[in-house]
Amino acid sequence: ESNPPTPDIHAHDVPSLAKSGLSTSAFQIGDKPAAFRQRSGSGLGNAPLKSIVEDLKDKSRAITPIASPGSESGNPFSRFASIASPGNLTPLNGASTPANGHNGHNGITSPRKYQTTHPEIQFAARIQRKQSRSSSRRPERDSPIINGGSYQPWHIEFNSHCNGGLKNAVDSVGDRLKQKLWVGTLGTGTDSFGETVRSNIDERMKEQHCSLPVWIPDDEFESCYDEFCHQVLWPCLHYAVPDAPKTKLFYESASFKQYVSVNQRFADAIIANYQEGDIIWVNDYHLMLLPSLLRASPLLSNAPIGFFLHVAFPSSEIFRCLSVRESLLRGLLAADLVGFQTVNYARHFRQTVSRILALEALPKGIQVETGGTGRFVDVGVIPMGIDVNALREKKREPDVSYWVQLLRQRYAGMKIVVGRDKLDEVQGVRHKIQAFEQFLDKHPEFQQKVVLIQVALQTTESNELAGGVADIVSRINSRFSTLTYQPVVFLHTQEVTFSQYLALLSVADAFLVTSLREGMALRTHEFVECQEGRHRPLILSEFTGSYSYSGFRSCIAINPYDSRGTAKAIYQALTMSDEEALSRWKDLHNHVVTQTAQTFVTSFLTRCLRANTEHIIQSDLSVVPQLDTASLLPRYKHSAKRLLLLDFEGAIWQRDMTRAGLLAPFEAPKEALALLNKFAEDPMNEVWLLSGLPVKGVMDKVAAEAPNVGIVAENGCFIRTRPNRKEKASWINVVSNFNFTWKASCVEILNYFTERTPGAFVEEREASVVWRFWTGPVTDCADRQWARRQAAEAQNHIFDSLGERYGLRIIPGANSFLVLPNNISRSTAVGAILHPGGPAHSPLSGRSVWMSHDPTEGDGVHDELDFVFAVGGDEKLLRRLNDLDNAETCSTSRKGTGAKWKLEPKDAIEVLSRFANVR
Ligand SMILES: O=P(O)(O)OC[C@H]1O[C@H](O[C@H]2O[C@H](CO)[C@@H](O)[C@H](O)[C@H]2O)[C@H](O)[C@@H](O)[C@@H]1O
């Protein structure tokens, strides 16, 4: 539908394992769901219309029991809440779950933590008792678990406590992901499971659910997940600075040991199941060490490994507080790709790595030095989205319409504000209720006319307590309730089915998100989609990942810490005209249908594979053969139309790279010119010289001395045509329409860094800028390391302040980097040269067509060429040319390469002269 096309993933791209993280098993072990179905039958799920409001009111009071466990037994709802509180162990929901882990089940949960704190019901709790959302989905039964001599039946069912967004996303690409294996933990304690049961479960999970359970002792899991993940990492990643009592935990958590151990168990399970060609996709902060533990296995040293962080990543000032900060960062840097939801999180990560590990953090990723060989880790921004098509289908189900009608009747004449959040501090639910109270105070005309329906996702008991929601809900309800009105209706997710939730989103007059920090917030995307035809506004915290996307700027933005501002926003939303609401909704919707779950999955996997291929190529020069003149010279000789693409600097000209040499006036190198002219003398040759140097004073001098050679200057910004019978050679400015106001700012930034970097200097060219940050000997020393770190900082500054605005890219080198317009490169220039309408063949016309032309595409003039010979260091160009028939590519970079041949630059003139002299 409106989704953009996403690339097909073929079998060879995505083979048998797309592995995920701790939170990956979509299934859990459960028993006797029927008993709990009965219990929940009195809830919203099966309730007649007349009982809805009472039912909601009753449920809303169930929020308090965490604070008062002693009173649980008499109140069935308090028992619900107590059992349901901690530990969202397994992450994946069924296909129709909402994106953010909303479970929509009517049953109750039996989190792992519960069994350890309540030994008397240990077994009962260990066996999951959650019901599947879909009543038609029959539980699968198998051989019984033996406990204390008695047989207990078990079955597998979909788990509601997982990252539903991830599961939906992976499901959304359907068959394009030919084979996959989820690796995760079961949503229940497993200590009492005997070997037979475990192997039964293993077998069933693999065969029927494409899942590989990782078996973790209960206490180890609890310590890792409830303590390290949720009390240390989660707050830190969400920018929460610890208060005094928690500080020790934060800095020195002993539970890190269990975190390491859980990560190791995942690594062992994956390594044992790994097959050549698999891609490993690690998800979220629970498994930050996993990439390095996997990489340590010789079997996986070259495997494609990607890591995606679903939650936020804070500023380095916060992350550096963690005592285990280095281990976590190094754990991630073993991946080929580390993906984030937003540009800011990615930038924070790069800066954190640069500041804590003193590695070079470049706009595109991190340069990691390992034992003398460089490795580049891609850092990507790959935002999560929702499966719009699946949601549309779900919305069309009769159950949803039924609930829409019921809600409309029930709340006729009232406005409905909806929210759905985890009940911990970071989600800002307390702030939300406070703001709602202020709104009712400020606008008494809305009292009894508006209801806030807040759906609460579970979190750990202590997080929920810290969220401090219970008291404030009680306060506002006691202040404003009447016999027939209650302003805040509070529901735990297990009390609302997904259909009911979609109905709520559809009838809502506003959706309110007050997160103090959040990775993305996909529930806002669901709201927008459900508002098709209604278009009411979204009130969104500026601190969510979703808000950082331009389409979402059409929400009503709030600072959740400013409750007065939020109260105002609620008023604005409820009184907004339909025209304004529609126009805002269109922007929001456009974003939701563009940045989809499908795009997320395909972009992540494609990028991970690409990064991996590049890393492998770059890491091994030894496998590339030396240019074999014995086999190539005869082919050259017997070809009738040849194209020669020769790099200048670093290939046929060994430039003096000392400071003095670089600053000296340019003198055209004699040997290189002689070679070019010799080649150009042969009428069967079309010769092109490719350079990064400017036209003025440099390449124009070359042109004067090698008049029959075509020239690409400034990496493709300028092209000098070859003369032909009809026309003289001339320079073409490829970037004549570009805006170059960025150059002044760029130079200003670089001047700042130049002052702090001994020996550095700026080279301003016509359309690009080079910063030479090191001109001393190319051996590692403290000064060079300093210069490289300065260069990384400078690149980040330029990229962040000018990159996106002016469409710039930065090409990092060993001792310098280059800033130039996007979409301009030697590859685009060669594409233009090869194009039938390009400068090599006819007077220029239609620049825009050939500027973006792929040299390997189409049926242009290169079809006639019977020998294409490219020698140089532009890796991208060399690899693209490999796709041409008759192309011989040769790298002079002395680095790992995808070229067919390699050649020492010092030998280039001598070796190439043998070709030039062939007649
Ligand atoms: O509670 P956890 O097991 O520790 O898991 C953390 C959260 O993961 C999921 O949310 C995150 O991913 C979503 C999709 O990328 C994103 O929209 C959200 O902002 C992130 O926080 C899960 O949906 C949450 O329930 C978990 O709390």
Side-chain angles (χ1 to χ4, degrees):
E1 296 192 9
S2 42
N3 292 348
T6 46
D8 257 18
I9 301 174
H10 300 290
H12 69 275
D13 293 334
V14 184
S16 58
L17 252 79
K19 285 179 175 147
S20 189
L22 181 63
S23 318
T24 51
S25 176
F27 308 96
Q28 58 193 6
I29 309 301
D31 81 337
K32 302 193 186 76
F36 297 96
R37 224 176 262 142
Q38 221 177 11
R39 181 193 268 283
S40 63
S42 63
L44 193 55
N46 304 331
L49 175 62
K50 68 179 174 46
S51 72
I52 292 177
V53 71
E54 285 78 13
D55 194 70
L56 295 179
K57 278 184 182 175
D58 279 350
K59 296 269 164 64
S60 73
R61 290 177 194 125
I63 188 155
T64 44
I66 306 158
S68 52
S71 66
E72 282 171 15
S73 54
N75 177 350
F77 295 122
S78 70
R79 174 139 181 261
F80 263 68
S82 161
I83 295 171
S85 54
N88 295 342
L89 179 55
T90 43
L92 300 180
N93 288 347
S96 57
T97 55
N100 210 12
H102 169 78
N103 70 37
H105 287 217
N106 284 331
I108 60 171
T109 60
S110 55
R112 226 168 156 134
K113 187 168 181 183
Y114 186 60
Q115 64 192 298
T116 53
T117 50
H118 298 266
E120 71 281 9
I121 54 160
Q122 193 177 25
F123 181 67
R126 187 176 297 120
I127 304 296
Q128 277 297 334
R129 292 172 296 192
K130 266 176 258 163
Q131 259 179 254
S132 165
R133 176 180 315 107
S134 153
S135 51
S136 62
R137 191 183 288 138
R138 296 210 146 259
E140 298 156 20
R141 302 199 170 275
D142 211 323
S143 58
I145 292 170
I146 303 169
N147 186 63
S150 70
Y151 285 84
Q152 300 285 338
W154 60 274
H155 68 267
I156 297 171
E157 64 182 31
F158 283 91
N159 183 12
S160 57
H161 294 272
C162 62
N163 188 334
L166 173 65
K167 167 74 162 64
N168 291 347
V170 171
D171 284 350
S172 75
V173 294
D175 286 346
R176 277 185 293 161
L177 204 55
K178 296 274 184 263
Q179 280 181 294
K180 59 178 179 282
L181 181 67
W182 291 100
V183 182
T185 55
L186 295 176
T188 184
T190 55
D191 274 0
S192 68
F193 290 17
E195 277 314 309
T196 318
V197 172
R198 285 178 192 230
S199 67
N200 266 340
I201 292 173
D202 279 342
E203 204 180 303
R204 286 265 302 279
M205 290 293 273
K206 187 162 183 190
E207 278 168 17
Q208 295 167 12
H209 302 292
C210 307
S211 294
L212 174 70
V214 179
W215 298 96
I216 296 170
D218 292 347
D219 53 353
E220 182 178 306
F221 182 88
E222 194 187 332
S223 191
C224 163
Y225 188 69
D226 291 347
E227 192 174 323
F228 191 75
C229 289
H230 284 160
Q231 306 304 320
V232 180
L233 266 183
W234 169 269
C236 171
L237 292 169
H238 290 83
Y239 301 53
V241 181
D243 50 18
K246 278 194 195 151
T247 320
K248 191 162 163 33
L249 181 73
F250 200 72
Y251 297 121
E252 304 166 21
S253 175
S255 55
F256 182 63
K257 271 201 198 101
Q258 283 77 38
Y259 183 82
V260 176
S261 170
V262 167
N263 275 253
Q264 186 63 57
R265 288 179 199 273
F266 267 77
D268 295 343
I270 293 169
I271 292 164
N273 284 273
Y274 178 77
Q275 286 168 19
E276 187 65 30
D278 291 347
I279 302 172
I280 299 164
W281 181 359
V282 183
N283 280 280
D284 230 352
Y285 67 101
H286 320 83
L287 294 172
M288 288 168 87
L289 303 174
L290 187 52
S292 61
L293 296 172
L294 292 170
R295 201 59 93 198
S297 157
L299 196 63
L300 276 81
S301 57
N302 276 332
I305 300 177
F307 178 93
F308 186 78
L309 189 72
H310 288 261
V311 301
F313 195 94
S315 130
S316 61
E317 290 305 314
I318 296 196
F319 194 86
R320 72 196 302 185
C321 299
L322 290 171
S323 57
V324 292
R325 59 197 189 179
E326 288 196 24
S327 313
L328 295 172
L329 294 175
R330 292 209 185 275
L332 294 179
L333 290 177
D336 294 295
L337 166 69
V338 182
F340 294 90
Q341 302 263 29
T342 73
V343 170
N344 279 343
Y345 305 151
R347 191 186 54 235
H348 288 158
F349 174 71
R350 293 196 319 263
Q351 285 172 346
T352 304
V353 167
S354 144
R355 287 168 191 166
I356 293 174
L357 300 182
L359 293 173
E360 265 176 274
L362 305 168
K364 283 191 172 163
I366 314 287
Q367 183 68 44
V368 187
E369 305 291 337
T370 41
T373 28
R375 212 172 62 82
F376 192 79
V377 180
D378 276 27
V379 174
V381 178
I382 306 160
M384 184 68 145
I386 61 165
D387 183 351
V388 178
N389 296 335
L391 189 66
R392 280 182 189 160
E393 233 170 76
K394 181 73 194 164
K395 256 178 12 186
R396 284 195 286 266
E397 284 180 10
D399 210 20
V400 178
S401 326
Y402 169 77
W403 281 101
V404 165
Q405 292 314 318
L406 287 191
L407 286 164
R408 279 200 183 128
Q409 284 173 41
R410 164 61 191 90
Y411 293 106
M414 287 178 88
K415 301 277 185 197
I416 306 174
V417 179
V418 176
R420 183 168 67 86
D421 307 270
K422 225 180 188 187
L423 281 187
D424 61 28
E425 240 173 328
V426 169
Q427 223 86 49
V429 182
R430 187 178 171 84
H431 298 66
K432 183 188 298 196
I433 314 278
Q434 267 168 345
F436 189 63
E437 185 178 26
Q438 282 203 26
F439 162 75
L440 289 177
D441 274 329
K442 184 103 203 293
H443 299 283
E445 71 276 20
F446 273 101
Q447 289 173 17
Q448 305 197 43
K449 291 273 182 328
V450 59
V451 58
L452 169 63
I453 302 183
Q454 176 63 39
V455 180
L457 299 168
Q458 295 157 5
T459 179
T460 60
E461 205 167 300
S462 53
N463 279 354
E464 200 160 314
L465 266 178
V469 176
D471 60 329
I472 190 146
V473 172
S474 304
R475 187 177 77 205
I476 181 170
N477 278 346
S478 60
R479 281 191 62 203
F480 296 101
S481 286
T482 66
L483 210 53
T484 54
Y485 170 69
Q486 178 178 295
V488 179
V489 173
F490 220 97
L491 299 163
H492 274 100
T493 39
Q494 69 269 21
E495 296 158 333
V496 190
T497 66
F498 190 46
S499 300
Q500 289 164 348
Y501 178 64
L502 291 185
L504 255 183
L505 292 184
S506 311
V507 300
D509 294 283
F511 191 80
L512 179 53
V513 177
T514 46
S515 305
L516 307 182
R517 193 63 63 176
E518 186 162 359
M520 179 57 73
L522 291 181
R523 58 198 180 286
T524 59
H525 301 222
E526 289 167 348
F527 167 70
V528 170
E529 183 53 35
C530 285
Q531 284 282 314
E532 186 141 36
R534 190 165 157 73
H535 316 130
R536 294 313 300 171
L538 167 69
I539 308 169
L540 181 62
S541 160
E542 288 168 15
F543 301 113
T544 56
S546 302
Y547 181 73
S548 71
Y549 286 90
S550 56
F552 267 69
R553 295 290 159 94
S554 289
C555 65
I556 301 176
I558 50 152
N559 167 3
Y561 296 95
D562 168 16
S563 53
R564 204 142 29 113
T566 308
K568 258 181 155 170
I570 297 172
Y571 182 76
Q572 188 189 347
L574 297 182
T575 55
M576 185 180 284
S577 72
D578 286 347
E579 297 69 47
E580 184 182 345
L582 173 62
S583 132
R584 286 173 181 257
W585 180 85
K586 279 183 179 162
D587 288 343
L588 295 165
H589 192 244
N590 193 29
H591 177 84
V592 168
V593 297
T594 315
Q595 179 199 295
T596 60
Q598 287 87 343
T599 319
F600 166 72
V601 174
T602 49
S603 312
F604 187 89
L605 292 176
T606 326
R607 203 156 160 182
C608 179
L609 272 176
R610 199 178 60 208
N612 177 258
T613 314
E614 279 169 16
H615 296 160
I616 293 174
I617 287 172
Q618 278 164 21
S619 62
D620 205 354
L621 179 62
S622 64
V623 297
V624 183
Q626 289 288 349
L627 184 78
D628 179 10
T629 45
S631 75
L632 289 189
L633 273 169
R635 272 197 53 212
Y636 176 88
K637 188 170 178 176
H638 295 111
S639 53
K641 185 152 173 54
R642 312 176 191 119
L643 175 71
L644 305 174
L645 300 164
L646 306 177
D647 267 14
F648 193 28
E649 319 84 272
I652 62 168
W653 173 38
Q654 302 321 304
R655 198 177 179 195
D656 176 0
M657 297 302 280
T658 62
R659 191 183 156 84
L662 288 165
L663 291 170
F666 174 76
E667 266 184 49
K670 300 250 170 319
E671 280 188 315
L673 286 175
L675 176 76
L676 289 168
N677 285 328
K678 191 78 196 161
F679 270 129
E681 264 174 25
D682 187 337
M684 287 191 273
N685 287 345
E686 182 179 318
V687 188
W688 286 85
L689 180 66
L690 314 181
S691 169
L693 295 172
V695 175
K696 235 182 172 173
V698 183
M699 297 315 285
D700 52 3
K701 286 189 177 168
V702 174
E705 297 190 41
N708 293 320
V709 172
I711 295 176
V712 170
E714 283 204 46
N715 291 296
C717 295
F718 301 92
I719 297 178
R720 185 179 189 270
T721 57
R722 293 165 58 243
N724 59 32
R725 261 172 292 159
K726 288 189 200 148
E727 289 188 51
K728 287 201 279 182
S730 64
W731 283 103
I732 294 154
N733 182 351
V734 176
V735 290
S736 57
N737 293 330
F738 286 44
N739 171 358
F740 281 100
T741 45
W742 59 268
K743 270 177 64 199
S745 318
C746 178
V747 170
E748 199 179 320
I749 295 172
L750 290 173
N751 284 341
Y752 168 89
F753 282 95
T754 302
E755 280 167 25
R756 284 152 189 81
T757 314
F761 64 95
V762 181
E763 260 178 50
E764 188 177 347
R765 298 175 180 173
E766 186 93 5
S768 54
V769 177
V770 180
W771 193 47
R772 302 215 176 263
F773 54 85
W774 181 251
T775 51
V778 190
T779 42
D780 242 359
C781 58
D783 283 352
R784 183 159 182 251
Q785 268 170 24
W786 164 259
R788 287 175 64 159
R789 289 197 62 197
Q790 291 294 100
E793 289 263 325
Q795 287 182 54
N796 286 322
H797 270 272
I798 294 167
F799 190 76
D800 291 341
S801 55
L802 306 169
E804 210 180 332
R805 197 153 140 228
Y806 292 101
L808 303 179
R809 66 196 185 108
I810 301 179
I811 304 176
N815 301 305
S816 65
F817 67 78
L818 171 70
V819 187
L820 80 169
N822 262 334
N823 308 322
I824 294 289
S825 66
R826 293 181 197 212
S827 288
T828 56
V830 171
I833 291 164
L834 286 167
H835 195 269
H841 308 282
S842 66
L844 253 188
S845 62
R847 268 178 208 174
S848 56
V849 178
W850 60 260
M851 263 176 52
S852 58
H853 189 71
D854 181 334
T856 63
E857 215 178 68
D859 55 356
V861 72
H862 58 266
D863 289 347
E864 306 154 18
L865 299 167
D866 50 14
F867 195 86
V868 176
F869 194 18
V871 181
D874 188 318
E875 197 48 36
K876 217 176 214 166
L877 173 62
L878 294 171
R879 271 193 254 159
R880 287 175 94 177
L881 288 170
N882 276 344
D883 293 346
L884 290 180
D885 293 337
N886 304 324
E888 295 299 337
T889 52
C890 177
S891 169
T892 51
S893 69
R894 309 184 73 193
K895 289 192 243 154
T897 175
K900 293 181 185 167
W901 310 100
K902 69 181 172 195
L903 181 61
E904 275 295 319
K906 66 173 174 41
D907 302 331
I909 292 278
E910 195 268 309
V911 172
L912 293 175
S913 297
R914 287 192 238 157
F915 288 84
N917 288 319
V918 165
R919 284 290 177 270

